[in-house]
Amino acid sequence: MPSTNAATKTSRSQAAKVFSDLRNGECVAELARLEAESVDLVFADPPYNLQLGGELARPDHSVVDAVDDDWDRFASFAEYDRFTREWLAGVQRVLKPNGAVWVIGSYHNIFRIGAILQDMGFWILNDVVWRKTNPMPNFRGTRLTNAHETMIWAAKSKTGRHTFNYEAMKAGNDDVQLRSDWLFPICQGGERLKDGDGDKVHPTQKPEALLARVLLTSSRPGDVVLDPFLGSGTTGAVAKRLGRNFVGIERDAGYFAAASARIGAVETLPPSALNAAPAKRQAPKVPFINVIEAGLLQAGSVLTDSRGRHPVTVRPDGTVLLDGVALSIHKAGAAVQGFASCNGWSYWCFEKDGKRVSIDELREQIRARMREEGVSA
C-alpha cells in the first residue's frame, strides 16, 4: 500500500491513478503513524457522545435502532474532550499547511469540538447546517425533532490558503453562491449498507451526496483525503469515485470489513469528468492592452456600459479616453459610476452582431489561446 507521501507526488492530471490506504486500528495511534503534513483534507465523523440512558422506543413500543454502541460511550465530558484533543492533535500534525478539516456532529458534541478547534489554532471558515428532509421524529415528545446536523469547516491556520472551488460550486448551483445550509435526505434505500440479516451495518451512515459536496467544495483530484473514523466507508467511496487519494482509519473490525469491500468496488470517474474549470483568481492575468495587440479590438473603438451610456474611446496603449482623460478600464468604470473601484472587464461592452457584449469575452478568448499554448502566467 502506497504511503501518503506518494500522493504528494501524484499529478492532478493523473487523478484516475488513486490509492486507498485503509487501516484497522485506533485512530490516535494510526494518525501517529502517518507522515507529517501529508494530507490535504480531513473529514471526521467522530463519536457523538449521545449519552443515551436506555432504549429508545416508538409509540407502538417497538425499539428504535439508535446509537448505543460502545464506541459512543464516554465516562464524562472531560473524557470526551480529552479524546477530542488527542485525535485533533493527530489531524493537525498530518495536515499540510494549507490543509483543512471538516467535522460533523450533533448538539451533543459539535459545540465542544468547535471550542477545542479554536483553542488549538484552527481557523473556522464556516459552520454548515445539513438539513435532513426525512429526520427521525422525537418519539418521546419532550423536545423538537432533531432535523439537522452541523459541520464545521476549518483551515489548519488563519494564514493557510485552503482550497475552495468557488466558481465550480457556484456554477453547479445555477450560478448562485453556495449557501451554508445544505438539504439532503438521510442515508436510505440501496445506498444503506445491510448485513446478512437485513440490519443496518452502521447506525450513522452518511449519504454519499453530502460527502460529494464536501469534497467537491474543498479538494481537488489527486488530493489526499483522510477520514479518521471510517465507519461504513462513505468518505472513502466518494473520494475514490472523485479521483481523490484516501486514507481511512477504523477500529471496529466489522465496520472495517464492510467499508473495505465497499470502497474496493468503486470505480474512479474518468479525468474528463473530474477536471474542474480553473478558478478565475487562478486564471492567467490578461492586461487590456493584450486585447488590442491581439486585434480583438481596434484603437478608436467605442465602449459603453450595458445600457449604451458613458461612451469611452479605446486608445492604442490600453487605456480608454473619458472626457479627454486617459484612464484604465477600471478607473474609467469607477469614475462614471461615482464608485471607488470597478471591474472594467465586466462593466464595459463592445458591439457584436448588434448587441452589447462584455469585453470580458475578449479576455476569455485570449486565455483560451494561452491554455492551448501551455501558458500559465
Side-chain angles (χ1 to χ4, degrees):
M1 188 71 66
S3 70
T4 53
N5 189 50
T8 63
K9 301 177 182 178
T10 301
S11 169
R12 290 193 170 98
S13 65
Q14 298 175 322
K17 299 178 181 178
V18 299
F19 71 75
S20 296
D21 179 0
L22 308 181
R23 302 174 179 227
N24 186 197
E26 294 285 345
C27 70
V28 174
E30 292 299 330
L31 284 168
R33 295 186 178 97
L34 298 178
E35 296 182 35
E37 298 188 352
S38 60
V39 171
D40 296 283
L41 185 73
V42 173
F43 181 86
D45 186 4
Y48 285 11
N49 194 25
L50 297 182
Q51 303 289 318
L52 291 181
E55 289 186 340
L56 181 62
R58 299 181 178 89
D60 63 2
H61 304 297
S62 59
V63 176
V64 177
D65 184 13
V67 181
D68 56 2
D69 305 81
D70 288 341
W71 51 261
D72 196 56
R73 297 183 184 278
F74 293 84
S76 65
F77 288 129
E79 181 184 334
Y80 186 81
D81 292 350
R82 176 191 56 76
F83 170 70
T84 300
R85 290 188 183 91
E86 286 182 350
W87 71 260
L88 278 176
V91 162
Q92 196 169 42
R93 187 185 69 84
V94 301
L95 271 176
K96 296 177 182 178
N98 293 330
V101 58
W102 290 77
V103 186
I104 188 169
S106 69
Y107 68 88
H108 303 86
N109 69 329
I110 197 64
F111 303 110
R112 309 187 74 86
I113 292 174
I116 292 171
L117 279 166
Q118 290 182 314
D119 288 345
M120 295 179 67
F122 288 89
W123 185 253
I124 294 180
L125 302 167
N126 277 111
D127 65 317
V128 177
V129 174
W130 166 29
R131 293 195 295 127
K132 303 175 183 180
T133 59
N134 52 346
M136 182 182 294
N138 182 259
F139 293 111
R140 291 175 177 164
T142 57
R143 61 181 71 182
L144 301 175
T145 296
N146 296 323
H148 77 277
E149 293 184 33
T150 301
M151 295 185 292
I152 295 175
W153 179 26
K156 183 176 182 179
S157 70
K158 183 178 180 179
T159 57
R161 300 184 64 182
H162 62 281
T163 295
F164 178 32
N165 300 316
Y166 170 80
E167 282 84 8
M169 301 312 295
K170 181 179 178 181
N173 195 43
D174 292 337
D175 292 320
V176 177
Q177 287 185 353
L178 194 61
R179 291 162 51 111
S180 61
D181 54 336
W182 298 357
L183 187 66
F184 292 105
I186 62 175
C187 187
Q188 58 188 340
E191 186 180 319
R192 170 72 74 172
L193 296 190
K194 301 289 183 65
D195 61 19
D197 298 324
D199 296 324
K200 292 186 292 187
V201 168
H202 195 286
T204 63
Q205 180 179 336
K206 298 301 183 289
E208 291 193 3
L210 180 70
L211 269 298
R213 184 172 291 185
V214 167
L215 297 190
L216 290 170
T217 297
S218 54
S219 71
R220 302 186 181 98
D223 278 355
V224 180
V225 176
L226 165 69
D227 187 339
F229 305 98
L230 179 61
S232 61
T234 302
T235 310
V238 174
K240 185 177 179 182
R241 184 174 295 112
L242 296 180
R244 276 68 167 167
N245 297 292
F246 180 70
V247 181
I249 301 169
E250 175 55 52
R251 75 177 191 178
D252 184 280
Y255 295 160
F256 183 79
S260 298
R262 179 185 182 185
I263 295 168
V266 172
E267 293 187 5
T268 301
L269 293 171
S272 59
L274 297 174
N275 294 332
K280 289 183 180 179
R281 59 179 173 271
Q282 297 173 337
K285 299 293 184 182
V286 177
F288 183 59
I289 193 172
N290 285 175
V291 173
I292 302 165
E293 293 168 343
L296 300 178
L297 270 182
Q298 300 296 323
S301 300
V302 175
L303 307 178
T304 65
D305 67 316
S306 61
R307 296 172 62 183
R309 306 166 300 172
H310 312 306
V312 294
T313 303
V314 175
R315 290 164 43 89
D317 61 0
T319 61
V320 294
L321 197 63
L322 173 66
D323 296 333
V325 180
L327 301 169
S328 72
I329 56 172
H330 310 296
K331 289 185 177 180
V336 298
Q337 297 177 90
F339 294 164
S341 62
C342 169
N343 182 349
W345 289 106
S346 59
Y347 183 77
W348 295 111
C349 300
F350 67 103
E351 289 284 337
K352 179 182 178 182
D353 300 327
K355 298 181 180 179
R356 298 186 186 94
V357 180
S358 167
I359 60 173
D360 197 35
E361 178 181 296
L362 305 177
R363 177 171 64 166
E364 289 305 312
Q365 290 182 32
I366 294 178
R367 283 176 171 168
R369 294 179 189 176
M370 295 172 74
R371 286 192 288 268
E372 290 176 0
E373 297 167 358
V375 177
S376 58

